[in-house]
Amino acid sequence: GGRARPYDAHDEGLLHMYQQVRGHISSVWITLLPVSSDPSCKAAKTEGHKHDTDVKKSGKTHKLGSPHTHIFMAFMAAITNMDKVPAAHRMFLGRVLKFDMEKGPLTITESVLAFTVEDAHK
């Protein structure tokens, strides 16, 4: 065989692109339209701001993970406390969140690539 060519920036770009393609293929996009005063929206926004503040305090080596995971977890935790969500669903979500937190580095929600809460109208 021939000599292997050295690894270069082009290879890095291709690897990054393939990673993004895999993420898009494996993702499911769901859009929720709750009222902005909904407790789940407030919890998610609060967590997003908290994560941003914590990252700024810790610097680039923060090791806090993606803000999307934290926002998602806050949103789901708020849903488990809402009376309008059926009790069986709240109990299931509570178990999922408890399992996730006990197992360490966000085992279930590590697949949450993007989760944001935005106001539709200001």
Side-chain angles (χ1 to χ4, degrees):
R3 286 184 12 199
R5 67 180 177 79
Y7 179 81
D8 62 18
H10 181 260
D11 294 329
E12 188 173 323
L14 282 174
L15 291 173
H16 180 71
M17 182 190 68
Y18 290 143
Q19 182 181 12
Q20 287 182 322
V21 168
R22 280 194 309 274
H24 290 302
I25 290 170
S26 67
S27 67
V28 175
W29 298 94
I30 298 172
T31 301
L32 305 172
L33 298 172
V35 177
S36 62
S37 61
D38 189 88
S40 58
C41 290
K42 288 181 177 181
K45 284 185 172 191
T46 299
E47 185 61 33
H49 293 298
K50 179 184 177 303
H51 186 274
D52 183 56
T53 301
D54 292 347
V55 166
K56 287 177 180 171
K57 284 181 185 175
S58 299
K60 290 184 179 182
T61 58
H62 60 77
K63 297 183 182 180
L64 295 172
S66 166
H68 301 286
T69 302
H70 295 272
I71 293 167
F72 174 76
M73 293 294 286
F75 185 87
M76 298 306 284
I79 288 176
T80 64
N81 295 317
M82 295 171 64
D83 291 334
K84 61 185 171 183
V85 175
H89 295 149
R90 289 195 319 259
M91 186 169 56
F92 172 75
L93 289 173
R95 286 182 180 166
V96 168
L97 293 171
K98 182 178 181 203
F99 172 82
D100 197 54
M101 298 308 280
E102 288 175 352
K103 295 299 177 189
L106 302 171
T107 54
I108 294 170
T109 56
E110 66 189 359
S111 62
V112 176
L113 299 177
F115 190 88
T116 60
V117 176
E118 302 288 336
D119 290 331
H121 301 284
K122 291 192 179 197

